[in-house]
């Protein structure tokens, strides 16, 4: 017996499709006014599922003000919102289809920024033309803790991408054998359990994911009873979700979505297979009907890119899709490309700076003859004296105790009261606090003899420190401290 409450069996005129979740904010608080906006615009029902199409108003109103923000009143929405079509290769149909997809993704997960929602939307669409692409961008969905929506985003991707292959753990041999001329879209959840520091050697899988970013990078293996050298294709789009950053070589080939845990006031639509999957499958089929016939066309496409080198390779498929769609999507895609690429440059600078700090502190402990703890002020004094380090010019007046604690916080290191000579207490850092971080982030850093350190002359001026305060938040989202693993 059919469920009378299901959108697939209920009266289309009475069913209400929930509004889009605003990046960084969640669902609008005033649900009643939002539903009135949808009712005033009118609803269209999909022929195959009966689910009302409420996406067009959300998208048009977003264009009238801030992208993806539901207007405060029906008057703020753009008039004459176009009806979404069931496919086709026209620019208008592509624009409406991407708008619908963007709205659907935003219902089930709060992404860190408007640019991130745009990037995920285009990445999903690009999966349907990957046989015609030269590069297969990775989607790195990372967050500092559990409960940030990473797995939920993969659920939505699974129902909308081309030929999904979901796994929480896999081997290179399996992936080699499922990738062919029409490759699947790899979806890897809990990627931190694959590439974490305690899982052993996974270089084969990392090499496969790195090679698969570009076409014609096969992996050669001995195969079959005759032990013949065999070339296995590696080219396939992949989304990887996990706690903490993935290996640098994968992040460098990925569009990075830095998820954050939802605040108490942020709401999303519950993901329920009975209600959600049919509508998402309809979008997936519309994407295939529109984009699969264009695979031959995109093979020769050379879009104008706002970035260069590997960043251009990674974002090119998304920009190609945006150009095919037309309308506001070409400008929106390039704006997202610039904002998210710049954000990752800042993240890399912060990571490099923090790793340099770990190495310098290790050197100070070695220089101090194996002392088990150092006062914060003593540690700072030695760091600032190094003419080749950036610490003397860090910030406005040089590295201080607050800066030091802030830079070390992401590694789980903080100062504590220690008792020194004459029974006096002072804030200090213990050597054993750094052992794990040294092993993870600078394992190759060898202890330098004290005599070599004191005899080394200062050469030139110290490197320029970062200017101002480096942002830690995603583009378009709030900045704030971020903890990572």
């Amino acid at each position: 017996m059919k469920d009378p409450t299901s959108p697939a069996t209920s009266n289309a005129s009475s069913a209400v499709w929930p509004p889009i979740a605003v990046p960084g904010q969640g669902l609008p608080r005033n649900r009643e006014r939002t539903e009135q906006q949808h009712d005033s615009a009118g609803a269209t029902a999909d022929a195959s599922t009966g689910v009302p199409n409420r996406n067009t108003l959300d998208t048009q109103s977003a264009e009238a003000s801030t992208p993806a923000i539901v207007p405060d009143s029906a008057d703020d929405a753009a008039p004459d919102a176009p009806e979404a079509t069931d496919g086709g290769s026209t620019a208008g149909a592509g624009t409406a289809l991407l708008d619908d997809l963007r709205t659907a993704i935003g219902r089930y997960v709060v992404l860190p920024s408007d640019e991130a929602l745009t990037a995920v939307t285009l990445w999903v669409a690009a999966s349907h033309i990957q046989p015609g692409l030269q590069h297969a961008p990775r989607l790195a969905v990372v967050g500092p803790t559990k409960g940030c929506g990473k797995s939920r985003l993969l659920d939505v991707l699974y129902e909308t991408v081309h030929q999904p292959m979901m796994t929480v753990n896999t081997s290179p041999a399996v992936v080699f054998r499922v990738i062919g001329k029409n490759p699947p879209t790899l979806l890897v959840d809990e990627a931190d359990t694959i590439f974490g520091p305690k899982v052993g050697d996974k270089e084969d899988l990392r090499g496969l994911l790195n090679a698969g970013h570009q076409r014609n990078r096969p992996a050669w293996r001995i195969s079959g009873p005759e032990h013949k050298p065999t070339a296995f294709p590696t080219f396939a789009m992949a989304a990887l979700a996990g706690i903490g950053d993935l290996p640098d070589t994968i992040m460098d080939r990925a569009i990075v979505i830095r998820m954050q845990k939802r605040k108490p006031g942020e709401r999303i639509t519950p993901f329920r297979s009975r209600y959600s999957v049919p509508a998402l499958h309809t979008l997936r089929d519309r994407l295939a009907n529109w984009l699969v016939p264009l695979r031959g066309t995109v093979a020769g496409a050379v879009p104008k890119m706002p970035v260069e080198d590997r960043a251009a390779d990674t974002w090119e498929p998304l920009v190609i899709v945006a150009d095919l769609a037309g309308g506001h999507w070409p400008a929106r895609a390039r704006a997202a490309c610039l904002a998210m690429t710049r954000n990752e440059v800042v993240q890399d600078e912060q990571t490099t700076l923090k790793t340099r700090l770990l190495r310098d502190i290790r050197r100070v402990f070695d220089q101090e003859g194996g002392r088990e703890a150092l006062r914060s002020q003593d540690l700072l004094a030695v760091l600032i004296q190094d003419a080749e380090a950036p610490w003397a010019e860090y910030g406005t007046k040089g590295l201080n105790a607050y800066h030091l604690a802030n830079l070390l916080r992401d590694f789980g290191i903080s100062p504590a009261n220690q008792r020194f000579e004459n029974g006096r207490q002072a804030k200090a850092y213990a050597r054993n606090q750094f052992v794990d971080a040294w092993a993870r982030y600078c394992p190759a850093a060898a202890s330098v003899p004290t005599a070599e350190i004191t005899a080394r002359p200062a050469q030139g001026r110290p490197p320029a420190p970062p200017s101002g305060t480096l942002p830690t938040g995603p583009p378009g989202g709030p900045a704030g401290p971020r903890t990572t693993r």
Side-chain angles (χ1 to χ4, degrees):
M1 180 176 178
K2 293 185 179 179
D3 185 355
T5 64
S6 170
T9 57
S10 61
N11 188 347
S13 62
S14 62
V16 177
W17 191 269
I20 185 174
V22 179
Q25 299 181 31
L27 293 181
R29 287 186 176 273
N30 196 333
R31 294 287 295 273
E32 182 179 354
R33 292 181 65 187
T34 305
E35 291 170 3
Q36 291 175 355
Q37 295 166 20
H38 290 298
D39 293 339
S40 65
T44 59
D46 183 89
S48 61
T49 65
V51 178
N53 184 347
R54 307 283 184 173
N55 302 335
T56 307
L57 179 60
D58 288 335
T59 304
Q60 293 296 322
S61 61
E63 285 301 304
S65 55
T66 304
I69 296 180
V70 177
D72 291 334
S73 67
D75 295 336
D76 294 333
D80 302 323
E83 296 289 343
T85 64
D86 291 331
S89 58
T90 64
T95 302
L97 179 50
L98 289 185
D99 289 345
D100 292 347
L101 177 60
R102 189 177 190 273
T103 303
I105 295 172
R107 287 195 179 103
Y108 299 111
V109 59
V110 177
L111 286 160
S113 67
D114 183 74
E115 294 89 347
L117 180 56
T118 295
V120 172
T121 301
L122 292 171
W123 189 90
V124 169
S127 71
H128 291 271
I129 56 170
Q130 60 179 316
L133 299 173
Q134 181 63 27
H135 292 90
R138 279 74 186 95
L139 192 72
V141 185
V142 298
T145 64
K146 64 181 181 180
C148 293
K150 301 181 294 295
S151 296
R152 175 62 71 236
L153 179 56
L154 287 193
D155 290 338
V156 177
L157 296 182
Y158 183 85
E159 307 301 341
T160 51
V161 299
H162 163 75
Q163 196 176 326
M165 174 187 169
M166 177 76 83
T167 179
V168 295
N169 201 346
T170 189
S171 68
V174 172
V175 180
F176 287 151
R177 285 162 175 79
V178 299
I179 296 177
K181 292 183 178 179
N182 186 20
T185 305
L186 306 177
L187 304 175
V188 183
D189 201 2
E190 300 183 14
D192 51 298
T193 64
I194 300 176
F195 298 108
K198 299 181 180 180
V199 297
D201 185 11
K202 292 289 184 178
E203 290 304 311
D204 283 351
L205 184 57
R206 181 165 68 162
L208 184 154
L209 291 170
N210 290 342
H213 179 259
Q214 186 171 346
R215 188 174 292 281
N216 299 325
R217 296 293 187 272
W220 288 85
R221 293 291 186 273
I222 298 297
S223 180
E226 299 180 357
H227 300 285
K228 297 178 60 176
T230 305
F232 290 92
T234 62
F235 183 79
M237 291 177 65
L240 301 95
I243 298 175
D245 282 4
L246 301 172
D248 288 344
T249 53
I250 295 178
M251 296 286 279
D252 191 42
R253 294 167 170 81
I255 295 160
V256 182
I257 309 297
R258 296 190 176 274
M259 303 293 289
Q260 295 289 334
K261 204 162 188 174
R262 286 190 292 124
K263 293 182 290 188
E266 293 178 341
R267 296 173 297 166
I268 56 173
T269 301
F271 185 89
R272 298 290 182 266
S273 298
R274 181 175 56 177
Y275 303 150
S276 307
V277 169
L280 293 176
H281 283 182
T282 299
L283 285 171
R284 178 198 62 193
D285 296 341
R286 291 171 60 196
L287 287 169
N289 292 337
W290 171 43
L291 291 170
V292 169
L294 301 178
R295 289 176 178 176
T297 302
V298 302
V302 184
K304 184 177 180 180
M305 299 297 299
V307 293
E308 298 178 341
D309 301 326
R310 182 162 286 161
D313 295 339
T314 299
W315 278 87
E316 184 181 72
L318 281 66
V319 174
I320 287 175
V321 170
D323 287 347
L324 289 173
H328 55 80
W329 279 98
R332 172 176 276 177
R334 288 168 172 85
C337 173
L338 273 176
M340 296 182 69
T341 301
R342 288 170 177 168
N343 186 64
E344 286 310 302
V345 170
V346 172
Q347 293 289 336
D348 289 343
E349 289 175 353
Q350 283 193 300
T351 301
T352 302
L353 189 68
K354 293 174 183 177
T355 305
R356 169 66 186 270
L357 180 60
L358 286 176
R359 291 198 302 266
D360 287 354
I361 292 176
R362 186 175 195 171
R363 175 181 58 80
V364 174
F365 270 102
D366 291 340
Q367 182 179 350
E368 292 296 321
R371 293 175 59 181
E372 293 304 317
L374 291 173
R375 293 184 181 89
S376 298
Q377 295 303 322
D378 294 341
L379 178 58
L380 284 166
V382 178
L383 290 172
I384 292 173
Q385 287 174 4
D386 188 353
E388 294 187 2
W391 313 122
E393 298 182 11
Y394 185 86
T396 56
K397 297 181 180 180
L399 190 70
N400 58 33
Y402 173 80
H403 296 147
L404 181 62
N406 192 45
L407 289 171
L408 294 174
R409 183 178 296 118
D410 285 350
F411 302 114
I413 300 171
S414 59
N417 288 328
Q418 296 280 347
R419 192 173 298 276
F420 292 89
E421 62 273 9
N422 301 325
R424 294 182 179 179
Q425 286 189 351
K427 290 291 185 181
Y429 290 90
R431 184 187 188 97
N432 59 15
Q433 290 181 285
F434 294 90
V435 172
D436 183 74
W438 285 336
R440 293 176 186 273
Y441 297 98
C442 48
S447 298
V448 183
T450 303
E452 181 181 338
I453 295 175
T454 56
R456 183 178 57 191
Q459 298 177 357
R461 292 184 56 81
S467 57
T469 302
L470 293 175
T472 58
R482 174 181 292 112
T483 57
T484 58
R485 264 181 58 183

